[in-house]
Amino acid sequence: MIKKIVLISFLILSIIPAQAFEDCVITTNGKLSDISIEHNDILDVYPLITIMNEKNTLIFHPLKAGKTRVCVLKNNKEKVMFNVNITEEKTIIDEVEGFDILQIDTPPDIYEYELDIPPGLSGGKKWNN
């Protein structure tokens, strides 16, 4: 009885649609510091520190749909503001000069490919059930 309940619960939870927020990577050629997020419940920002200690990469991780702004200090002197709009399917960040914005979860544009015919089926034989 318990196995049936667990199985039914698993099936119900597996058909619930998942939200597909996109993480983004933002890079530049200068050091980024003093990260400030307008709405912390919408977006998390993580600095990525490399082996060379460049501190020039940020990871934007959406938590829920909404609009927010992120302010970053570049090279300890220039304030840079990012406007971020998060929807259920996409994370949209306004372009800022001197920064590269890359989507992490973007699927490839084309999934077109052809499969070979399985061996033994090319001769016109049909499966008997």
Side-chain angles (χ1 to χ4, degrees):
M1 180 67 175
I2 293 178
K3 289 182 182 180
K4 288 181 182 179
I5 293 172
V6 170
L7 180 63
I8 291 171
S9 300
F10 176 73
L11 291 175
I12 290 172
L13 291 175
S14 67
I15 61 172
I16 295 174
Q19 295 181 349
F21 294 127
E22 286 183 318
D23 288 353
C24 297
V25 174
I26 296 180
T27 61
T28 188
N29 58 0
K31 180 181 174 184
L32 301 175
S33 60
D34 296 334
I35 302 164
S36 176
I37 307 168
E38 188 175 80
H39 297 289
N40 291 333
D41 59 331
I42 295 175
L43 180 72
D44 272 343
V45 178
Y46 302 102
L48 182 66
I49 301 171
T50 62
I51 294 174
M52 301 300 290
N53 202 20
E54 295 169 327
K55 299 180 183 176
N56 64 349
T57 305
L58 299 175
I59 298 175
F60 283 30
H61 177 71
L63 302 173
K64 68 178 186 177
K67 292 182 180 183
T68 188
R69 287 186 289 189
V70 176
C71 184
V72 177
L73 192 61
K74 181 179 176 183
N75 295 325
N76 292 323
K77 58 184 173 184
E78 177 187 355
K79 283 187 180 180
V80 179
M81 186 75 71
F82 295 97
N83 293 316
V84 182
N85 183 10
I86 300 167
T87 65
E88 299 294 330
E89 298 86 24
K90 204 171 209 184
T91 301
I92 302 164
I93 302 171
D94 291 347
E95 294 288 327
V96 176
E97 188 177 334
F99 286 84
D100 293 323
I101 302 169
L102 307 166
Q103 307 291 335
I104 294 177
D105 296 331
T106 303
D109 291 336
I110 300 174
Y111 277 117
E112 294 180 21
Y113 53 88
E114 293 184 25
L115 296 176
D116 293 335
I117 297 173
L121 294 180
S122 59
K125 295 181 182 178
K126 295 187 177 181
W127 292 90
N128 292 330
N129 291 335

